[in-house]
Amino acid sequence: AQKVTQAQTEISVVEKEDVTLDCVYETRDTTYYLFWYKQPPSGELVFLIRRNSFDEQNEISGRYSWNFQKSTSSFNFTITASQVVDSAVYFCARDSGAGSYQLTFGKGTKLSVIP
Amino acid sequence: DAGVIQSPRHEVTEMGQEVTLRCKPISGHNSLFWYRQTMMRGLELLIYFNNNVPIDDSGMPEDRFSAKMPNASFSTLKIQPSEPRDSAVYFCASSFIGQGYEQYFGPGTRLTVT
């Protein structure tokens, strides 16, 4: 499986600050998918976004935005004007490559938004 | 539409007992995945099925673990006999391969083996 690295283990920000969560992935494929998931304290894993390697446009959804840079194999996630409800562990993932249907997850970044 | 349904949500059992975890995937999805999450090891894929057929069970820790998918709407993960080190949160996820790979997760089963 091709590796996904989330170098930030834990981040703390004060409410209303912007925060960027980093994700770097390995790739030996020309076609692949990237994902972000959110795991709030309640424990469920919530799918946030899927990105196809052919589509390098950045995406914005409300306060969330994603920056996909193939040149640096990065798929970073920015939360603008963070809120306490954003406190969660965020996982970056990619398909495992070679036509596998599996996902390879990073170790996750724990975000704490302090009121 | 209903999401992925898992039962039970919590299970406390004694070492040596058999444990069966259940999962109902999202209707129409053709792939199902079982994961285990612990603080030490993070999120681990145990096994996945495509069209009810097990494709990769290399993540199953040992012979005490078994999984079945008798039909498109039901899967079980069984641990027999259970051990304290099996304590974890077990997630089931489903996806529709062919329209992207995103997996939708159930709420998880928190297993405690004493």
Side-chain angles (χ1 to χ4, degrees):
Chain A
Q2 297 181 59
K3 198 173 173 183
V4 175
T5 300
Q6 295 179 256
Q8 305 149 307
T9 305
E10 292 193 40
I11 301 176
S12 289
V13 298
V14 177
E15 200 171 20
K16 298 184 183 175
E17 287 184 347
D18 299 347
V19 59
T20 295
L21 309 182
D22 297 332
C23 174
V24 175
Y25 58 92
E26 287 183 347
T27 184
R28 295 183 283 275
D29 308 303
T30 54
T31 303
Y32 50 89
Y33 290 94
L34 300 166
F35 307 83
W36 276 94
Y37 284 82
K38 173 182 179 179
Q39 187 173 38
S42 53
E44 72 274 24
L45 276 148
V46 179
F47 165 69
L48 294 178
I49 189 171
R50 177 192 74 198
R51 207 78 183 136
N52 183 309
S53 57
F54 289 138
D55 183 358
E56 291 192 66
Q57 281 192 342
N58 292 328
E59 182 153 342
I60 298 175
S61 175
R63 296 184 298 105
Y64 294 174
S65 61
W66 290 269
N67 185 319
F68 178 29
Q69 299 267 356
K70 283 180 78 170
S71 59
T72 56
S73 296
S74 65
F75 185 41
N76 297 337
F77 174 28
T78 297
I79 302 174
T80 303
S82 59
Q83 299 176 2
V84 173
V85 293
D86 297 326
S87 297
V89 180
Y90 291 87
F91 292 94
C92 180
R94 64 151 291 166
D95 63 284
S96 298
S100 169
Y101 303 143
Q102 302 177 43
L103 297 185
T104 298
F105 285 84
K107 298 289 186 186
T109 297
K110 182 177 180 180
L111 173 66
S112 298
V113 181
I114 304 163
Chain B
D1 286 342
V4 175
I5 298 171
Q6 289 186 248
S7 64
R9 295 293 306 276
H10 301 273
E11 177 81 33
V12 180
T13 192
E14 292 184 348
M15 184 173 63
Q17 296 298 306
E18 177 180 295
V19 175
T20 299
L21 311 181
R22 297 172 176 79
C23 176
K24 177 178 170 56
I26 292 173
S27 176
H29 281 189
N30 56 12
S31 293
L32 183 140
F33 305 78
W34 282 101
Y35 290 86
R36 177 171 69 176
Q37 187 178 38
T38 61
M39 290 294 292
M40 291 295 293
R41 302 175 69 92
L43 197 59
E44 304 174 274
L45 176 66
L46 301 177
I47 185 171
Y48 83 93
F49 296 84
N50 184 241
N51 293 321
N52 313 338
V53 176
I55 303 299
D56 186 347
D57 65 355
S58 60
M60 297 285 261
E62 46 198 277
D63 291 346
R64 298 183 298 105
F65 286 69
S66 63
K68 293 182 180 179
M69 191 165 186
N71 57 61
S73 59
F74 184 65
S75 177
T76 59
L77 177 68
K78 185 178 292 186
I79 308 172
Q80 166 64 21
S82 58
E83 297 182 3
R85 60 194 167 119
D86 302 331
S87 297
V89 179
Y90 290 81
F91 288 103
C92 175
S94 71
S95 69
F96 185 80
I97 302 301
Q99 291 184 1
Y101 291 71
E102 65 267 25
Q103 296 175 17
Y104 294 88
F105 284 75
T109 296
R110 181 173 296 278
L111 174 64
T112 303
V113 184
T114 60

